Amino acid sequence: MIPTLNEADNLRWLLPRLTAVDEVVIVDGESTDGTVEITRLLRPDAVIIVEPPTGKGTAMRTGMAAATSEVIIMLDADGSMDPAEFDSFLSLLCRGFEFVKGSRYNCGGGSDDLTWLRDKGNLWLTRFANLLYGQKWTDLCYGYVAMRRNVVEKLQLQSTGFEIETEICVNAVRAGLKVAEVASHESHRRFGESNLNTFRDGWRVLKTMIRLRFAGKLDNSHLSPTFEPVSVGSLAAARAK
């Protein structure tokens, strides 16, 4: 699942690398650079949803709701997240985890893109989140994640902006999901400029983690049990979306 906003040049690099993926969901924020047209050219079978650009969180929630495959993998469109790492995420889902998040700080991970300010801010926010939620996360603000589709409703996501990445992580804990981290290497954005604003989005992340900490556990008692074992064979066939 890939949210896009004027990412045509980056999709020329990314989409050809998704040949092993059965389902691609693109949620586009009314791009004006031919993003939708490039997607149709390179991936004619992609599910394309065009909606007003109200934020990354809104786009991600729309994409998760539209996905139909057994596993959802969320990628940024800028080419910074390498699809070659899919197997690392999927192997942990095969071992029984329900939610797997990438980490640039785990052994084997790294980033070519983090500035000094973003690096220090992310580390501080991660440490604070660990204190609030009793976790041992190493990388809170990174959106390369994989999950079983049947846990999406349990996350009860509401965020509209970049803070969705934090909401996903803390709600996975609040919902009692089996969570794991896996090393990931973040490359530079290949083309264009990021829409991330360090101070604005950092403040939204901080407010989100504090607000949800005092909201208690998520009540999913109204949901029917949906756990289904994920087999190596089914993941190799379906891969992700």
Side-chain angles (χ1 to χ4, degrees), residues 23 63-74 93-94 96-100 146-157 171-172 175-178 218 220-231 234-235 241:
E23 181 180 33
M64 284 186 275
T68 62
S69 297
E70 187 176 357
V71 168
I72 300 173
I73 295 181
M74 284 172 282
L93 292 176
C94 287
F97 291 98
E98 299 168 282
F99 176 83
V100 181
M147 68 183 74
R148 302 170 187 267
R149 182 172 57 86
N150 59 23
V151 307
V152 170
E153 192 173 358
K154 295 179 181 179
L155 293 174
Q156 299 184 33
L157 301 172
N171 278 8
L177 303 184
K178 294 185 65 177
L218 287 173
N220 286 309
S221 59
H222 62 291
L223 300 179
S224 301
T226 55
F227 178 81
E228 297 177 3
V230 179
S231 67
S234 65
L235 286 180
K241 54 178 172 282

Side-chain angles (χ1 to χ4, degrees), residues 6-234:
N6 294 323
E7 300 283 6
D9 288 336
N10 290 311
L11 291 181
R12 289 187 176 93
W13 179 89
L14 178 59
L15 291 177
R17 287 166 170 77
L18 300 178
T19 55
V21 178
D22 285 346
E23 181 180 33
V24 175
V25 178
I26 300 286
V27 182
D28 185 68
E30 299 180 341
S31 294
T32 58
D33 70 338
T35 290
V36 170
E37 290 74 15
I38 285 296
T39 300
R40 288 175 176 153
L41 175 65
L42 297 178
R43 190 74 194 217
D45 62 334
V47 176
I48 302 174
I49 302 168
V50 179
E51 63 181 21
T54 56
K56 182 177 183 179
T58 303
M60 288 176 66
R61 289 190 288 115
T62 297
M64 284 186 275
T68 62
S69 297
E70 187 176 357
V71 168
I72 300 173
I73 295 181
M74 284 172 282
L75 288 174
D76 286 348
D78 60 8
S80 63
M81 299 168 179
D82 191 347
E85 296 179 355
F86 281 177
D87 285 347
S88 298
F89 288 81
L90 298 176
S91 64
L92 287 170
L93 292 176
C94 287
R95 291 170 55 188
F97 291 98
E98 299 168 282
F99 176 83
V100 181
K101 62 190 298 294
S103 172
R104 296 163 290 186
Y105 298 94
N106 270 1
C107 181
S111 176
D112 302 326
D113 192 58
L114 279 173
T115 63
W116 181 89
L117 181 60
R118 287 178 55 211
D119 177 56
K120 299 305 178 186
N122 184 32
L123 288 174
W124 184 87
L125 288 168
T126 300
R127 289 167 183 165
F128 188 50
N130 286 337
L131 180 65
L132 286 178
Y133 291 92
Q135 300 300 304
K136 295 182 180 179
W137 291 315
T138 62
D139 195 354
L140 183 69
C141 303
Y142 188 46
Y144 200 170
V145 300
M147 68 183 74
R148 302 170 187 267
R149 182 172 57 86
N150 59 23
V151 307
V152 170
E153 192 173 358
K154 295 179 181 179
L155 293 174
Q156 299 184 33
L157 301 172
Q158 299 179 359
S159 293
T160 59
F162 280 95
E163 72 278 3
I164 185 100
E165 295 167 2
T166 298
E167 185 186 25
I168 289 174
C169 291
V170 300
N171 278 8
V173 173
R174 294 174 64 218
L177 303 184
K178 294 185 65 177
V179 179
E181 277 190 334
V182 66
S184 176
H185 188 92
E186 178 186 40
S187 301
H188 286 296
R189 163 180 274 274
R190 296 180 183 275
F191 300 95
E193 298 294 327
S194 172
N195 294 312
L196 178 69
N197 181 294
T198 301
F199 292 101
R200 178 198 65 202
D201 294 313
W203 175 241
R204 292 180 70 162
V205 166
L206 181 60
K207 290 194 298 181
T208 297
M209 72 168 72
I210 293 174
R211 174 177 57 83
L212 295 177
R213 173 61 182 84
F214 297 101
K217 293 184 178 181
L218 287 173
D219 181 11
N220 286 309
S221 59
H222 62 291
L223 300 179
S224 301
T226 55
F227 178 81
E228 297 177 3
V230 179
S231 67
V232 175
S234 65

